[in-house]
Amino acid sequence: MLIRRPDDIAPSEITASDVYRRRREFVQAAGMLALGAAAGAFAGRSQAQQGVKFAGIAKSAFSTSEKPNTFKDIAGYNNFYEFGTDKDDPAAYAGRLRTRPWTVVVEGEVHKPRTFAIEELLKFPLEERIYRLRCVEAWSMVIPWIGFEFNRIARLVEPTSRAKFVEFHTAVQPETMPGVRLPVLEWPYVEGLRIDEAMHPLTILSVGLYDQVLPNQCGAPIRLVVPWKYGFKSGKSIVRIRFVEKQPRIAWEKAAPHEYGFYSNVNPNVDHPRWSQRREKRLPAFFANRETVIFNGYGEQVAKLYAGMDLKKFY
Ligand SMILES: Nc1nc2c(c(=O)[nH]1)N[C@H]1C(S)=C(S)[C@@H](COP(=O)(O)O)O[C@H]1N2
Ligand SMILES: [Mo]
């Protein structure tokens, strides 16, 4: 979801060579990192977790019965701008992400701030949650996540009465992420939820998919998943969670405030300024011929969170 896509920018504003140059800058940045990675030992270490398997994961009643996409689809077509803006950049470059040691700081308006090592988080009772994921760009997938409800963390840190929102800060590793050298978004990528949205049982932190640890390109070692909202609300590679009083300004809102709002609930009745949200392309399909459902089909569980709110205004 580039702020403006080449096809709707007048040729007078941007030339093919600009696009080519930006792409080349990115590839150069990535190439420089590859040399660094080959020279240092960290490349091997960073990949040590990839492919590690889980066993005996409980099934969740919150799963959809729709057929999940293949592992190849899910791990081969990604948005993770820290590794580049093309759909295949994350799979190509995120192998270098260092996922150990990894901690998640939980702080702000809480009685018991705490730093969790990823090893502790992996000991939470994990379940499989098969969810639809609908990107604001109008493609969708069905993904069998492994994870736990975010509210488990919240209960341990005990939010104060002033905690009205939750911020999710994602990792910035300039030495492994070629994308953060370019001003595509403000880094770190910060996302946020209202506290009742965060505490909702459908909101999970995911640590795996299918039977293995999250592939780096999907947000290893831990990422948020909020299935009734557009995909960009689901921040990847989370390092910091802050309970706050004021509604945060999120990464895409800062980049393009007329296009992306804080709530970003999936809604076929509220078009993106540059495209319709009526339909979606369910990968690997080529055409957007599937009707998009309000709240991505989770309305029965979540519509009550927005009772009395004008969803056209709070988009
Ligand atoms: N840190 C970070 N998180 C991110 C993004 C990103 O660029 N950086 N992209 C978002 C978008 S736009 C989508 S659609 C989902 C995609 O998740 P997936 O690649 O696992 O399907 O991740 C979201 N989380
Ligand atoms: Mo997205």
Side-chain angles (χ1 to χ4, degrees):
M1 72 206 220
L2 287 166
I3 296 162
R4 314 194 58 187
R5 293 190 304 188
D7 59 0
D8 51 35
I9 297 174
S12 56
E13 293 178 70
I14 191 165
T15 62
S17 70
D18 286 325
V19 174
Y20 174 74
R21 185 162 3 91
R22 277 186 76 185
R23 177 77 196 144
R24 198 178 52 191
E25 273 164 15
F26 171 75
V27 169
Q28 277 171 355
M32 265 146 44
L33 293 186
L35 289 176
F42 79 80
R45 226 187 307 143
S46 69
Q47 284 160 18
Q49 293 296 321
Q50 298 232 62
V52 170
K53 303 271 182 180
F54 290 106
I57 298 294
K59 309 262 180 222
S60 167
F62 289 121
S63 287
T64 169
S65 54
E66 285 170 72
K67 190 173 176 289
N69 281 83
T70 62
F71 183 88
K72 214 172 145 226
D73 282 344
I74 299 168
Y77 185 95
N78 300 97
N79 276 332
F80 198 168
Y81 275 21
E82 289 84 337
F83 292 100
T85 54
D86 282 4
K87 293 290 180 279
D88 51 1
D89 285 332
Y93 300 111
R96 298 176 198 136
L97 178 74
R98 265 178 295 106
T99 60
R100 293 296 186 282
W102 194 277
T103 54
V104 180
V105 175
V106 187
E107 60 180 13
E109 289 295 344
V110 294
H111 292 293
K112 298 181 174 168
R114 190 165 156 181
T115 298
F116 294 89
I118 188 67
E119 291 77 11
E120 291 173 81
L121 297 170
L122 287 165
K123 285 185 199 137
F124 279 47
L126 302 178
E127 11 175 294
E128 179 189 70
R129 293 271 179 119
I130 308 173
Y131 282 163
R132 293 175 288 277
L133 177 98
R134 169 51 158 93
C135 175
V136 73
E137 298 162 330
W139 53 266
S140 66
M141 291 201 221
V142 177
I143 306 184
W145 304 108
I146 294 173
F148 57 86
E149 292 177 15
F150 170 76
N151 58 49
R152 285 183 180 275
I153 287 203
R155 288 202 301 258
L156 290 174
V157 299
E158 298 177 16
T160 71
S161 59
R162 281 188 299 276
K164 302 286 190 318
F165 294 90
V166 188
E167 290 178 10
F168 296 88
H169 298 229
T170 81
V172 179
Q173 291 180 3
E175 68 285 17
T176 70
M177 295 171 161
V180 302
R181 300 176 172 210
L182 307 174
V184 185
L185 289 173
E186 200 178 285
W187 315 106
Y189 186 103
V190 176
E191 252 307 333
L193 295 172
R194 214 171 57 191
I195 191 142
D196 55 339
E197 298 177 319
M199 299 299 274
H200 193 280
L202 287 179
T203 301
I204 61 167
L205 286 166
S206 170
V207 295
L209 74 83
Y210 274 105
D211 61 344
Q212 54 178 282
V213 299
L214 271 186
N216 290 355
Q217 60 270 34
C218 297
I222 187 161
R223 63 92 56 88
L224 191 70
V225 180
V226 194
W228 71 95
K229 292 180 178 277
Y230 290 122
F232 69 83
K233 298 296 292 180
S234 297
K236 295 179 168 183
S237 305
I238 303 281
V239 292
R240 184 178 299 274
I241 296 170
R242 275 186 77 78
F243 288 79
V244 296
E245 199 168 352
K246 296 216 171 72
Q247 180 176 309
R249 287 198 76 217
I250 58 169
W252 277 104
E253 204 184 355
K254 285 187 204 158
H258 305 297
E259 305 199 352
Y260 306 103
F262 176 79
Y263 282 93
S264 295
N265 291 313
V266 174
N267 190 341
N269 309 314
V270 178
D271 286 339
H272 185 280
R274 288 180 288 126
W275 60 84
S276 163
Q277 296 291 22
R278 279 269 147 232
R279 291 185 184 68
E280 66 199 59
K281 172 168 95 170
R282 172 64 57 84
L283 294 171
F286 189 73
F287 293 107
N289 52 13
R290 188 184 184 97
E291 303 274 322
T292 287
V293 181
I294 187 143
F295 299 119
N296 203 21
Y298 298 96
E300 209 177 299
Q301 292 100 315
V302 303
K304 58 179 178 294
L305 298 177
Y306 310 101
M309 274 174 72
D310 178 353
L311 296 177
K312 291 211 157 88
K313 199 164 153 218
F314 296 94
Y315 60 87

